[in-house]
Amino acid sequence: MEAAPRTWPRRLHSLSGVVPVGAFLAFHLYTNSAALRGADAYNEAARRLQQFPLAIVFEILVIALPLFFHGVYGLFLAATEPPGGAGATLRRRALAVAQRVTGVVLFAFVLFHLWTARLVQIRDHGDLDLFRLMQAALASPWIRAFYVVGILSAAFHLAAGLWSFSRTWGLAESPRAQGAVAVAATAVFLALSAIGMRSLWAFRL
């Protein structure tokens, strides 16, 4: 199997998808699972995060900028390079296509989620009843379906990203190592999907 390209832009793109973007995704889904304990628990969890010292600076430097770089550069790669790279196997191309499709879906989903859940009434965002806000939005079957697709796309994109990260950084060269990464990536996909779907169900009316 041909090794994945290891130029520094590709390495940084792969790294940013795991740390900090992937780590933030896992943390964000875990935090949202507070909705399973009710509206008060969810709103309190959101307020604690917003009261974190230098929260805005952290959001911009550690989350927004890496996310912007990963998303925009990922779209550039999708538009300019063949899926999986030259000489890739059919399985590798299929995985790369799925990763690109979920990446495009995620780009749209993240913008929508930011606009409706984070940037809404930003000056008094900390005083909002975010649980009821999300509950009202998810009452629409179209928005709920978009969230289902978005969460599953996020979980798959990160899981596939762990696989490509291991190859881009030369961490899984042997078939045995690649098999171990595939098992771990599948576990990540199933765990994050389960957490996300359970949290989404908590907002039902």
Side-chain angles (χ1 to χ4, degrees):
M1 178 182 297
E2 182 177 335
R6 295 176 183 173
T7 62
W8 276 108
R10 286 295 300 270
R11 283 176 178 265
L12 291 176
H13 175 257
S14 179
L15 178 63
S16 66
V18 176
V19 179
V21 175
F24 173 72
L25 169 64
F27 175 75
H28 188 55
L29 289 176
Y30 171 77
T31 301
N32 284 348
S33 67
L36 294 167
R37 303 194 302 272
D40 291 341
Y42 179 80
N43 288 331
E44 179 59 28
R47 274 192 292 269
R48 283 200 304 268
L49 291 178
Q50 292 163 8
Q51 293 169 356
F52 184 80
L54 300 176
I56 295 296
V57 175
F58 182 85
E59 283 183 328
I60 294 174
L61 296 181
V62 181
I63 300 172
L65 289 180
L67 182 61
F68 179 79
F69 165 73
H70 186 80
V72 172
Y73 190 65
L75 292 176
F76 169 77
L77 292 177
T80 59
E81 294 189 3
T89 64
L90 179 61
R91 180 180 178 183
R92 174 64 184 165
R93 284 198 300 271
L95 179 63
V97 168
Q99 191 174 16
R100 290 183 177 189
V101 170
T102 54
V104 172
V105 171
L106 268 179
F107 195 85
F109 177 70
V110 167
L111 291 178
F112 176 79
H113 181 59
L114 282 174
W115 182 257
T116 57
R118 183 64 185 95
L119 299 180
V120 60
Q121 299 182 31
I122 191 167
R123 291 187 178 181
D124 58 349
H125 190 76
D127 297 325
L128 288 176
D129 186 341
L130 292 175
F131 185 91
R132 304 302 176 195
L133 181 74
M134 290 298 300
Q135 193 174 52
L138 292 169
S140 165
W142 295 105
I143 292 179
R144 180 175 288 272
F146 191 31
Y147 265 80
V148 169
V149 172
I151 291 171
L152 293 179
S153 294
F156 178 87
H157 194 75
L158 176 57
L162 291 173
W163 164 258
S164 60
F165 172 82
S166 70
R167 297 186 68 248
T168 300
W169 284 83
L171 302 177
E173 301 288 355
S174 68
R176 182 175 181 179
Q178 292 173 9
V181 171
V183 171
T186 301
V188 167
F189 169 71
L190 293 175
L192 294 184
S193 296
I195 293 172
M197 291 300 103
R198 288 189 67 214
S199 300
L200 196 63
W201 178 253
F203 292 102
R204 69 192 184 281
L205 291 172

